[in-house]
Amino acid sequence: MGKDLRADAPKTWTTMAGLRALSLKAWNSGALLQDVLEPTGAYPRRRALKRPTAAELLSDYAAAQRWAAELFEGAGPYTLETVEVGRRTVGSNRIPAAAVFPTVDDEIGFVGKSQEAARFRELAAELDVLDPLLPGWAARRPLKLLELGSDALTSARVALWLRDNPGPGIYVRQLGLPGVHTKFIERRRQVIDQLLAAVAPGADSDEVEADAEAPVEPPVEAAGPEVALDDGAGRTPAARFARRHGFLHPPELVRFRILDPDIPALGGARDITVTAEAFSTLRVPVRTVIATENLVNFLALPERSGTLALYGAGYGFSSLQDAAWLRECEVLYWGDIDTHGFRILDQLRAVHPHVESVLMDEETLLAHRDAWGTEPSPSRAVLTRLAAEESALYEALGSDTYGRSVRLEQELIRWDWALRWLSLSKPGG
């Protein structure tokens, strides 16, 4: 019996390792812990075993004996149902047909998760003390509860506070709950919203799953093309959380440079940062706005008559949403030549259809082969607001026409090339 039984058992037979894999799959799906909290009546649970046929008994009786012996030796957490096989070939033999686990705890112990299950019960009981509706969330997300540990209890306290204090009108920083601070809220936004939905069934949790603890930029593909141009108070997941629950949130800031030295500004200030609300009410005598994502490009743009430069920082152009005065200006967007650059352009046109792209053409791309890089996660979104040439380049980049996930970052375009465009495009030139 010192031989590795799994080595000579045909792949079709359920070995001890195979049986454990079945139970572990149930654990990893959360099903075992769900049954701990909300028994389904599934136990005793019978797990059928793939077993030798009569022909296999005849051809390799010794291997079948070893296979059965391993399962019988492992009995304890389970009992074995047997069937009679081989009466007409090798004589009557009773071999394992199913493993039966009397209780969910027996199956949990079989996969070595008893300690985790005990911790789960403890956490669920503490949630129940806070509010009897909270264990319902734990039953739906048992593995999440284990992952969060005590953070789940703190998140639940925040959820209960939000239920009892709708529209608090304070900053998250001002919450006086033990262990709760801004960074905690940022990490646990989704869980807090889920728990709030559990204790306040009328709460709308549709927006919760969309946030999903995702990084701010780039937006997830599942988001619609308008996501980056949400109002300034709700562009980021943190801002949406604040708006959803009536917290105050720092206003979105807009940075711009006045490139025309003849336009009066704040004293000698030319590089100015204001709130998005203030930007929307500006009355600056400019004819052209150049929006760029790259800070160095923004800072390096030369003096230009009747022109304002706007710094957008990737998907950060939501400040344009309410700036109606831009409709009277020529608005130029200079972004990366990659799929996300064109996606941002498409989003800008959702608010200001007259936006034009600059330095985002095939000629510029091909003239800078030596500066090409690789786009980590190309966009697959369907963009409906691109001009024909822009759309063709977007499709070519997405289909790897020039190479795998090619991108040309705007800061890698030769400055003399960029200045030549600026010179040709001077107003009235």
Side-chain angles (χ1 to χ4, degrees):
M1 297 300 293
K3 187 175 180 181
D4 183 356
L5 304 178
R6 292 169 294 183
D8 58 6
K11 293 180 180 178
T12 55
W13 302 353
T14 304
T15 62
M16 177 68 77
L19 176 59
R20 186 168 280 108
L22 287 174
S23 295
L24 192 58
K25 182 179 179 180
W27 170 271
N28 290 335
S29 73
L32 298 187
L33 285 177
Q34 286 173 338
D35 212 280
V36 165
L37 211 55
E38 297 180 350
T40 61
Y43 289 86
R45 180 181 287 279
R46 181 181 184 277
R47 297 207 180 273
L49 304 173
K50 294 179 181 178
R51 57 187 185 273
T53 64
E56 287 172 327
L57 277 180
L58 181 62
S59 63
D60 201 345
Y61 186 78
Q65 273 189 317
R66 288 190 291 271
W67 167 82
E70 179 190 37
L71 289 170
F72 277 115
E73 288 175 6
Y78 60 85
T79 58
L80 286 172
E81 289 182 2
T82 61
V83 295
E84 186 179 24
V85 177
R87 177 187 292 272
R88 297 181 180 180
T89 54
V90 293
S92 178
N93 289 267
R94 299 202 67 83
I95 63 173
V100 180
F101 294 92
T103 69
V104 67
D105 286 316
D106 290 314
E107 188 161 17
I108 288 172
F110 178 62
V111 292
K113 299 293 185 179
S114 295
Q115 187 174 348
E116 289 88 338
R119 176 59 173 156
F120 173 77
R121 281 190 171 95
E122 177 185 328
L123 290 167
E126 292 188 62
L127 286 175
D128 186 60
V129 170
L130 291 174
D131 190 288
L133 292 173
L134 289 172
W137 172 85
R140 292 189 297 276
R141 296 176 173 84
L143 296 177
K144 188 65 177 178
L145 176 57
L146 269 183
E147 175 194 330
L148 292 171
S150 59
D151 274 7
L153 304 176
T154 304
S155 298
R157 293 186 182 97
V158 175
L160 292 170
W161 188 91
L162 289 173
R163 182 194 63 185
D164 298 336
N165 298 273
I170 61 174
Y171 289 98
V172 170
R173 173 70 175 84
Q174 295 173 277
L175 275 177
L177 298 175
V180 177
H181 45 77
T182 304
K183 288 186 178 179
F184 179 89
I185 297 290
E186 288 176 352
R187 289 198 312 268
R188 301 304 182 203
R189 285 187 306 269
Q190 186 187 23
V191 171
I192 291 168
D193 275 327
Q194 290 169 354
L195 289 164
L196 178 59
V199 296
D204 182 4
S205 59
D206 289 345
E207 196 176 355
V208 177
E209 300 299 333
D211 286 351
E213 305 291 346
V216 173
E217 50 181 319
V220 293
E221 284 298 319
E226 325 303 351
V227 67
L229 296 183
D230 190 6
D231 62 89
R235 180 170 62 86
T236 67
R240 288 194 291 274
F241 180 91
R243 181 181 62 185
R244 193 156 56 238
H245 299 298
F247 283 107
L248 299 177
H249 191 72
E252 182 181 16
L253 300 178
V254 180
R255 183 175 179 181
F256 63 92
R257 290 180 60 227
I258 297 176
L259 302 184
D260 187 340
D262 294 328
I263 294 178
L266 301 175
R270 319 303 299 175
D271 189 336
I272 302 169
T273 299
V274 298
T275 66
E277 181 180 4
F279 183 77
S280 70
T281 63
L282 282 180
R283 293 294 181 266
V284 183
V286 297
R287 298 181 297 275
T288 301
V289 171
I290 303 175
T292 180
E293 304 168 49
N294 179 262
L295 179 59
V296 175
N297 284 349
F298 166 78
L299 295 173
L301 286 171
E303 292 183 353
R304 195 170 186 269
S305 175
T307 302
L308 177 150
L310 179 66
Y311 177 50
Y315 280 86
F317 285 110
S318 60
S319 53
L320 302 188
Q321 173 100 350
D322 298 320
W325 60 272
L326 290 175
R327 295 167 192 162
E328 308 302 321
C329 300
E330 175 189 37
V331 180
L332 308 174
Y333 170 63
W334 177 12
D336 295 331
I337 303 181
D338 61 12
T339 61
H340 283 284
F342 283 108
R343 188 172 177 186
I344 296 170
L345 173 62
D346 183 81
Q347 292 175 356
L348 281 170
R349 286 182 178 151
V351 178
H352 297 290
H354 66 297
V355 170
E356 299 177 30
S357 64
V358 293
L359 293 165
M360 295 178 67
D361 53 81
E362 186 179 52
E363 181 184 2
T364 299
L365 176 68
L366 297 179
H368 294 79
R369 286 181 179 271
D370 59 326
W372 287 3
T374 301
E375 189 174 17
S377 302
S379 171
R380 306 298 179 195
V382 176
L383 307 184
T384 60
R385 305 181 187 92
L386 301 182
E389 291 183 2
E390 296 163 348
S391 184
L393 185 51
Y394 173 74
E395 295 296 333
L397 291 168
S399 59
D400 295 337
T401 299
Y402 306 103
R404 185 175 178 277
S405 301
V406 164
R407 74 179 307 200
L408 174 60
E409 295 178 80
Q410 57 193 269
E411 61 265 37
L412 300 181
I413 294 174
R414 294 192 301 276
W415 195 239
D416 61 337
W417 183 283
L419 288 180
R420 187 159 62 249
W421 168 82
L422 290 170
S423 175
L424 290 173
S425 301
K426 284 182 180 178

mmCIF file of all heavy atoms in Angstrom, residues 9-13 50-65 67 85-86 89-90 95:
data_model
loop_
_atom_site.group_PDB
_atom_site.id
_atom_site.type_symbol
_atom_site.label_atom_id
_atom_site.label_comp_id
_atom_site.label_asym_id
_atom_site.label_seq_id
_atom_site.Cartn_x
_atom_site.Cartn_y
_atom_site.Cartn_z
ATOM 1 N N ALA A 9 -4.525 4.960 -10.890
ATOM 2 C CA ALA A 9 -5.978 5.004 -11.068
ATOM 3 C C ALA A 9 -6.291 5.763 -12.347
ATOM 4 O O ALA A 9 -5.782 6.857 -12.547
ATOM 5 C CB ALA A 9 -6.637 5.680 -9.880
ATOM 6 N N PRO A 10 -7.096 5.188 -13.247
ATOM 7 C CA PRO A 10 -7.455 5.911 -14.470
ATOM 8 C C PRO A 10 -8.052 7.274 -14.142
ATOM 9 O O PRO A 10 -8.676 7.472 -13.103
ATOM 10 C CB PRO A 10 -8.497 4.988 -15.122
ATOM 11 C CG PRO A 10 -8.171 3.628 -14.596
ATOM 12 C CD PRO A 10 -7.682 3.830 -13.206
ATOM 13 N N LYS A 11 -7.840 8.242 -15.049
ATOM 14 C CA LYS A 11 -8.295 9.606 -14.807
ATOM 15 C C LYS A 11 -9.802 9.694 -14.618
ATOM 16 O O LYS A 11 -10.312 10.654 -14.073
ATOM 17 C CB LYS A 11 -7.853 10.499 -15.959
ATOM 18 C CG LYS A 11 -6.343 10.683 -16.039
ATOM 19 C CD LYS A 11 -5.962 11.590 -17.198
ATOM 20 C CE LYS A 11 -4.448 11.758 -17.269
ATOM 21 N NZ LYS A 11 -4.048 12.609 -18.418
ATOM 22 N N THR A 12 -10.520 8.704 -15.106
ATOM 23 C CA THR A 12 -11.978 8.762 -14.996
ATOM 24 C C THR A 12 -12.465 8.380 -13.601
ATOM 25 O O THR A 12 -13.617 8.632 -13.269
ATOM 26 C CB THR A 12 -12.628 7.826 -16.019
ATOM 27 O OG1 THR A 12 -12.108 6.509 -15.852
ATOM 28 C CG2 THR A 12 -12.347 8.313 -17.432
ATOM 29 N N TRP A 13 -11.638 7.751 -12.767
ATOM 30 C CA TRP A 13 -12.069 7.347 -11.431
ATOM 31 C C TRP A 13 -11.870 8.512 -10.455
ATOM 32 O O TRP A 13 -10.866 9.209 -10.496
ATOM 33 C CB TRP A 13 -11.268 6.153 -10.921
ATOM 34 C CG TRP A 13 -11.330 4.932 -11.800
ATOM 35 C CD1 TRP A 13 -12.102 4.751 -12.897
ATOM 36 C CD2 TRP A 13 -10.556 3.747 -11.637
ATOM 37 N NE1 TRP A 13 -11.874 3.518 -13.454
ATOM 38 C CE2 TRP A 13 -10.928 2.863 -12.690
ATOM 39 C CE3 TRP A 13 -9.603 3.314 -10.725
ATOM 40 C CZ2 TRP A 13 -10.375 1.597 -12.847
ATOM 41 C CZ3 TRP A 13 -9.044 2.049 -10.866
ATOM 42 C CH2 TRP A 13 -9.430 1.192 -11.915
ATOM 43 N N LYS A 50 -16.976 8.719 -9.636
ATOM 44 C CA LYS A 50 -16.744 7.977 -10.873
ATOM 45 C C LYS A 50 -15.924 6.742 -10.505
ATOM 46 O O LYS A 50 -14.867 6.864 -9.872
ATOM 47 C CB LYS A 50 -16.008 8.856 -11.878
ATOM 48 C CG LYS A 50 -16.838 10.042 -12.358
ATOM 49 C CD LYS A 50 -16.064 10.902 -13.343
ATOM 50 C CE LYS A 50 -16.901 12.099 -13.790
ATOM 51 N NZ LYS A 50 -16.146 12.974 -14.718
ATOM 52 N N ARG A 51 -16.381 5.562 -10.896
ATOM 53 C CA ARG A 51 -15.803 4.315 -10.387
ATOM 54 C C ARG A 51 -15.473 3.361 -11.531
ATOM 55 O O ARG A 51 -15.921 3.545 -12.670
ATOM 56 C CB ARG A 51 -16.801 3.670 -9.433
ATOM 57 C CG ARG A 51 -18.162 3.410 -10.055
ATOM 58 C CD ARG A 51 -19.161 2.919 -9.026
ATOM 59 N NE ARG A 51 -20.441 2.549 -9.612
ATOM 60 C CZ ARG A 51 -21.449 3.362 -9.829
ATOM 61 N NH1 ARG A 51 -21.325 4.655 -9.505
ATOM 62 N NH2 ARG A 51 -22.590 2.933 -10.362
ATOM 63 N N PRO A 52 -14.719 2.301 -11.239
ATOM 64 C CA PRO A 52 -14.357 1.322 -12.273
ATOM 65 C C PRO A 52 -15.597 0.592 -12.805
ATOM 66 O O PRO A 52 -16.531 0.290 -12.059
ATOM 67 C CB PRO A 52 -13.427 0.356 -11.545
ATOM 68 C CG PRO A 52 -12.947 1.095 -10.339
ATOM 69 C CD PRO A 52 -14.067 2.005 -9.956
ATOM 70 N N THR A 53 -15.556 0.332 -14.078
ATOM 71 C CA THR A 53 -16.586 -0.513 -14.682
ATOM 72 C C THR A 53 -16.210 -1.974 -14.479
ATOM 73 O O THR A 53 -15.083 -2.307 -14.063
ATOM 74 C CB THR A 53 -16.704 -0.224 -16.178
ATOM 75 O OG1 THR A 53 -15.463 -0.576 -16.817
ATOM 76 C CG2 THR A 53 -16.998 1.260 -16.432
ATOM 77 N N ALA A 54 -17.139 -2.881 -14.801
ATOM 78 C CA ALA A 54 -16.849 -4.313 -14.698
ATOM 79 C C ALA A 54 -15.682 -4.684 -15.590
ATOM 80 O O ALA A 54 -14.817 -5.501 -15.210
ATOM 81 C CB ALA A 54 -18.099 -5.109 -15.071
ATOM 82 N N ALA A 55 -15.621 -4.081 -16.783
ATOM 83 C CA ALA A 55 -14.522 -4.375 -17.710
ATOM 84 C C ALA A 55 -13.189 -3.918 -17.129
ATOM 85 O O ALA A 55 -12.165 -4.590 -17.276
ATOM 86 C CB ALA A 55 -14.780 -3.705 -19.054
ATOM 87 N N GLU A 56 -13.192 -2.755 -16.445
ATOM 88 C CA GLU A 56 -11.949 -2.251 -15.857
ATOM 89 C C GLU A 56 -11.531 -3.103 -14.661
ATOM 90 O O GLU A 56 -10.328 -3.296 -14.414
ATOM 91 C CB GLU A 56 -12.137 -0.787 -15.442
ATOM 92 C CG GLU A 56 -12.190 0.163 -16.634
ATOM 93 C CD GLU A 56 -12.557 1.584 -16.237
ATOM 94 O OE1 GLU A 56 -13.341 1.753 -15.276
ATOM 95 O OE2 GLU A 56 -12.061 2.518 -16.894
ATOM 96 N N LEU A 57 -12.501 -3.607 -13.933
ATOM 97 C CA LEU A 57 -12.149 -4.535 -12.850
ATOM 98 C C LEU A 57 -11.440 -5.758 -13.392
ATOM 99 O O LEU A 57 -10.456 -6.246 -12.823
ATOM 100 C CB LEU A 57 -13.417 -4.964 -12.103
ATOM 101 C CG LEU A 57 -13.972 -4.042 -11.019
ATOM 102 C CD1 LEU A 57 -15.223 -4.651 -10.419
ATOM 103 C CD2 LEU A 57 -12.938 -3.790 -9.935
ATOM 104 N N LEU A 58 -11.929 -6.261 -14.507
ATOM 105 C CA LEU A 58 -11.343 -7.443 -15.112
ATOM 106 C C LEU A 58 -9.949 -7.174 -15.637
ATOM 107 O O LEU A 58 -9.040 -7.989 -15.466
ATOM 108 C CB LEU A 58 -12.248 -7.945 -16.248
ATOM 109 C CG LEU A 58 -11.788 -9.209 -16.980
ATOM 110 C CD1 LEU A 58 -11.718 -10.393 -16.008
ATOM 111 C CD2 LEU A 58 -12.727 -9.522 -18.138
ATOM 112 N N SER A 59 -9.763 -5.988 -16.250
ATOM 113 C CA SER A 59 -8.473 -5.691 -16.881
ATOM 114 C C SER A 59 -7.422 -5.229 -15.873
ATOM 115 O O SER A 59 -6.223 -5.411 -16.106
ATOM 116 C CB SER A 59 -8.641 -4.624 -17.964
ATOM 117 O OG SER A 59 -9.084 -3.412 -17.382
ATOM 118 N N ASP A 60 -7.829 -4.603 -14.788
ATOM 119 C CA ASP A 60 -6.835 -4.094 -13.821
ATOM 120 C C ASP A 60 -7.414 -4.148 -12.415
ATOM 121 O O ASP A 60 -7.674 -3.130 -11.767
ATOM 122 C CB ASP A 60 -6.449 -2.660 -14.192
ATOM 123 C CG ASP A 60 -5.099 -2.261 -13.582
ATOM 124 O OD1 ASP A 60 -4.621 -2.973 -12.674
ATOM 125 O OD2 ASP A 60 -4.528 -1.245 -14.014
ATOM 126 N N TYR A 61 -7.626 -5.343 -11.956
ATOM 127 C CA TYR A 61 -8.267 -5.561 -10.658
ATOM 128 C C TYR A 61 -7.434 -4.973 -9.511
ATOM 129 O O TYR A 61 -7.975 -4.376 -8.581
ATOM 130 C CB TYR A 61 -8.473 -7.054 -10.439
ATOM 131 C CG TYR A 61 -9.267 -7.390 -9.199
ATOM 132 C CD1 TYR A 61 -10.655 -7.252 -9.183
ATOM 133 C CD2 TYR A 61 -8.627 -7.840 -8.040
ATOM 134 C CE1 TYR A 61 -11.387 -7.549 -8.045
ATOM 135 C CE2 TYR A 61 -9.354 -8.136 -6.893
ATOM 136 C CZ TYR A 61 -10.737 -7.992 -6.909
ATOM 137 O OH TYR A 61 -11.459 -8.282 -5.785
ATOM 138 N N ALA A 62 -6.110 -5.089 -9.602
ATOM 139 C CA ALA A 62 -5.246 -4.606 -8.522
ATOM 140 C C ALA A 62 -5.342 -3.088 -8.367
ATOM 141 O O ALA A 62 -5.398 -2.558 -7.257
ATOM 142 C CB ALA A 62 -3.801 -5.018 -8.788
ATOM 143 N N ALA A 63 -5.375 -2.380 -9.493
ATOM 144 C CA ALA A 63 -5.486 -0.914 -9.429
ATOM 145 C C ALA A 63 -6.813 -0.508 -8.824
ATOM 146 O O ALA A 63 -6.901 0.435 -8.028
ATOM 147 C CB ALA A 63 -5.325 -0.317 -10.824
ATOM 148 N N ALA A 64 -7.882 -1.221 -9.189
ATOM 149 C CA ALA A 64 -9.202 -0.918 -8.640
ATOM 150 C C ALA A 64 -9.231 -1.168 -7.134
ATOM 151 O O ALA A 64 -9.860 -0.415 -6.376
ATOM 152 C CB ALA A 64 -10.265 -1.747 -9.346
ATOM 153 N N GLN A 65 -8.557 -2.231 -6.700
ATOM 154 C CA GLN A 65 -8.489 -2.519 -5.262
ATOM 155 C C GLN A 65 -7.807 -1.372 -4.513
ATOM 156 O O GLN A 65 -8.268 -0.949 -3.451
ATOM 157 C CB GLN A 65 -7.713 -3.817 -5.021
ATOM 158 C CG GLN A 65 -8.546 -5.084 -5.088
ATOM 159 C CD GLN A 65 -7.735 -6.284 -4.607
ATOM 160 O OE1 GLN A 65 -6.545 -6.427 -4.954
ATOM 161 N NE2 GLN A 65 -8.354 -7.139 -3.805
ATOM 162 N N TRP A 67 -7.499 1.722 -5.500
ATOM 163 C CA TRP A 67 -8.367 2.913 -5.561
ATOM 164 C C TRP A 67 -9.436 2.857 -4.463
ATOM 165 O O TRP A 67 -9.660 3.830 -3.746
ATOM 166 C CB TRP A 67 -9.020 2.958 -6.948
ATOM 167 C CG TRP A 67 -10.162 3.921 -7.054
ATOM 168 C CD1 TRP A 67 -10.086 5.261 -7.260
ATOM 169 C CD2 TRP A 67 -11.553 3.606 -6.930
ATOM 170 N NE1 TRP A 67 -11.349 5.812 -7.276
ATOM 171 C CE2 TRP A 67 -12.278 4.819 -7.076
ATOM 172 C CE3 TRP A 67 -12.274 2.422 -6.711
ATOM 173 C CZ2 TRP A 67 -13.671 4.878 -7.019
ATOM 174 C CZ3 TRP A 67 -13.656 2.481 -6.656
ATOM 175 C CH2 TRP A 67 -14.344 3.692 -6.804
ATOM 176 N N VAL A 85 -20.356 -4.762 -8.297
ATOM 177 C CA VAL A 85 -19.848 -4.723 -9.667
ATOM 178 C C VAL A 85 -19.073 -6.012 -9.946
ATOM 179 O O VAL A 85 -18.409 -6.553 -9.050
ATOM 180 C CB VAL A 85 -18.913 -3.502 -9.884
ATOM 181 C CG1 VAL A 85 -18.329 -3.499 -11.302
ATOM 182 C CG2 VAL A 85 -19.645 -2.204 -9.639
ATOM 183 N N GLY A 86 -19.138 -6.510 -11.192
ATOM 184 C CA GLY A 86 -18.271 -7.606 -11.645
ATOM 185 C C GLY A 86 -18.736 -8.997 -11.310
ATOM 186 O O GLY A 86 -17.947 -9.944 -11.366
ATOM 187 N N THR A 89 -17.894 -11.382 -14.095
ATOM 188 C CA THR A 89 -16.539 -11.376 -14.656
ATOM 189 C C THR A 89 -15.496 -11.826 -13.634
ATOM 190 O O THR A 89 -14.890 -12.887 -13.767
ATOM 191 C CB THR A 89 -16.187 -9.971 -15.170
ATOM 192 O OG1 THR A 89 -16.399 -9.025 -14.114
ATOM 193 C CG2 THR A 89 -17.030 -9.598 -16.381
ATOM 194 N N VAL A 90 -15.327 -11.030 -12.593
ATOM 195 C CA VAL A 90 -14.309 -11.375 -11.589
ATOM 196 C C VAL A 90 -14.942 -11.774 -10.267
ATOM 197 O O VAL A 90 -14.246 -11.921 -9.264
ATOM 198 C CB VAL A 90 -13.346 -10.186 -11.370
ATOM 199 C CG1 VAL A 90 -12.528 -9.933 -12.614
ATOM 200 C CG2 VAL A 90 -14.115 -8.942 -10.945
ATOM 201 N N ILE A 95 -17.875 -1.812 -4.487
ATOM 202 C CA ILE A 95 -16.908 -0.718 -4.612
ATOM 203 C C ILE A 95 -17.617 0.607 -4.309
ATOM 204 O O ILE A 95 -18.844 0.719 -4.421
ATOM 205 C CB ILE A 95 -16.280 -0.665 -6.014
ATOM 206 C CG1 ILE A 95 -17.353 -0.377 -7.071
ATOM 207 C CG2 ILE A 95 -15.538 -1.963 -6.320
ATOM 208 C CD1 ILE A 95 -16.764 -0.148 -8.463
#
